[in-house]
Amino acid sequence: MSVAELKERHAAATATVNDLRERLKQKRQLLLDTDVASYALSHGRTPISFSSTDLVCCRTLRGHTGKVYSLDWTPERNRIVSASQDGRLIVWNALTSQKTHAIKLHCAWVMTCAFAPSGQSVACGGLDSACSIFNLNSQVDRDGNIPISRILTGHKGYVSSCQYVPDQETRLITSSGDQTCVLWDITTGQRISVFGGDFPSGHTADVLSLSINSANSNMFVSGSCDATARLWDIRIASRAVRTYHGHEGDVNTVKFFPDGQRFGTGSDDTTCRLFDMRTGHQLQVYSRPHENNDNDVPTVTSIAFSISGRLLFAGYSNGDCYVWDTLVAEVAFNLGTLQNSHEGRISCLGLSSDGSALCTGSWDKNLRIWAFGGHRMVI
Amino acid sequence: MSMTSSSGSTAGRVEAGEAARSDKQQQTTPPPPPPLPLPQARTGGFLGRHRLSAAITRLDQEILSLQEEINELETMDPSSAACQEVLLSMEGKPEPLLPVTRGPEDVSWDRWFQRVRSSRGHKWWTHKGSDFS
């Protein structure tokens, strides 16, 4: 077939794709008969109201000498690992605020960290395009550093996010600037599956975040600079199960909703969104109230759901940390307005496994732990 | 690309190096190299055809995927069904970060405000509503 004929076919296929996308958008629009907030309000749900002393900062974890980029809690709920621009991972006892481990990294440009399900190992990755595993029980070397127990190499771009597969100590998923996600076997250091890349339904720009479904660990969702989130089945790497459109900027963060049937996203377009995993419907947009100064609109850097899903915590680039009422799509509280809040961008946040505390990490070099300090009424 | 026509041979490369060195010693700048010929447009060649074919394959697969998704929508529930599920999924779930929550209350929720003994033997007491860091 000649080049001219191929060009003709390419133009025709492109036109068909655009036409189908438009048809899909219109059909989906017809199915969006309501959103979560309208539905909840019409069913008698009322907004949550917090008093100014309900959510309080009960710990500040000081020790990093550079911006904090990432954090993760252990499943056993009282320890946190954090990664910083200072080239260190610090493992904290969140109850005592003490450091249990400080790991000096070979590459200081770390972007992400994660605890293994057992809490015995931590993983991290960054601009070195590799994911390094450290066993916290390893003997320290002469300089007092914990040696790397395994390096997972193979990505062709920075490692933006990593997460262990729940209840599987030897399996981990990474996302990368090379537009792919990879499932790794930590024991062998080999790639089990690559999601995206040469496959047609993969991301078309850097993948920034991922979240594994704790209700069904075969499924995970990824967020990308291509303004989409994609759902993947670990058992079928050749194509994304579904692509979720709606955002108008990089999808910086994705998190599964506690029921495992939905997930949230946070984006450079300043919004958080709630998507239904099965149908692909966008169920809610969580938009910041419009401010007068439109020049520097804060972007969403990180999100987390409370254990029931009623609260959506969203960290922003201006230091705000909104506590959204998921049901009515209103801001119930802004941790950023409190006297002892962070003084820089909220770069990461996460909830303890029992849901009793939120930890936020910031470019101000600190981590803060927030818990409910008011009078709790149990019904 | 070398400035000398004999750049393919070792002798040619050495000569070029020597010439560059003597030029430097005389503090004169060598004449700029002649402009390189523009690379041939390769769209007519194998590479262009290969890339176009690959792009068409991708688009064809996307067409199938989009058609599949459109067909799925025919039998799909409206968003209100999923919204109802969201509400139901929260019903009766204990929530440690809310002022009003369903029971049972877990005493460990308030561990952040209780006496803590650190490994160094320090003790402190934390009260609700203040920062003890």
Side-chain angles (χ1 to χ4, degrees), chain B residues 87-119:
Chain B
L87 256 71
L88 292 173
S89 77
M90 292 179 196
E91 299 289 292
K93 269 197 178 175
E95 175 56 81
L97 295 175
L98 284 181
V100 180
T101 181
R102 293 265 171 193
E105 187 173 11
D106 186 335
V107 290
S108 73
W109 290 349
D110 289 330
R111 66 187 179 280
W112 308 103
F113 304 100
Q114 287 161 3
R115 188 188 292 270
V116 177
R117 182 188 287 275
S118 79
S119 57

Side-chain angles (χ1 to χ4, degrees), chain A residues 21 27-28 31 33-34 45 59-60 77-78 98 197 200 242 281 306 308 354 356 373 376-377 379, chain B residues 58 61-62 69 72 74 77 79-80 85-86 91 95-96 99 101 103 105 108 111-112 119 128 131 133:
Chain A
R21 277 185 184 158
K27 273 193 174 254
R28 195 172 280 290
L31 289 171
D33 56 344
T34 187
R45 299 305 188 276
R59 303 278 188 287
T60 300
R77 77 192 185 163
N78 286 337
Q98 285 187 329
R242 193 176 291 288
H281 295 328
S306 67
S308 70
D354 67 343
S356 66
R376 188 185 289 114
M377 196 169 105
I379 51 171
Chain B
R58 258 178 178 266
Q61 280 169 316
E62 193 173 350
E69 206 173 330
E72 263 182 48
E74 302 294 342
D77 293 330
S79 60
S80 51
E85 286 175 21
V86 171
E91 299 289 292
E95 175 56 81
T101 181
E105 187 173 11
S108 73
R111 66 187 179 280
W112 308 103
S119 57
K128 287 195 173 188
D131 180 7
S133 39

Side-chain angles (χ1 to χ4, degrees), chain A residues 176-250:
Chain A
S176 169
D178 65 12
Q179 306 184 7
T180 70
C181 296
V182 171
L183 172 66
W184 302 87
D185 181 332
I186 295 171
T187 312
T188 62
Q190 298 299 304
R191 288 180 285 188
I192 298 169
S193 302
V194 179
F195 304 89
D198 295 333
F199 295 117
S201 61
H203 284 293
T204 56
D206 304 21
V207 188
L208 300 177
S209 54
L210 72 96
S211 177
I212 304 173
N213 190 344
S214 53
N216 173 8
S217 58
N218 285 319
M219 310 302 287
F220 74 94
V221 68
S222 57
S224 164
C225 290
D226 64 12
T228 70
R230 290 177 203 238
L231 179 70
W232 303 89
D233 186 328
I234 280 174
R235 298 158 298 187
I236 313 158
S238 58
R239 58 175 293 189
V241 176
R242 193 176 291 288
T243 300
Y244 303 84
H245 297 274
H247 278 296
E248 292 161 21
D250 299 2

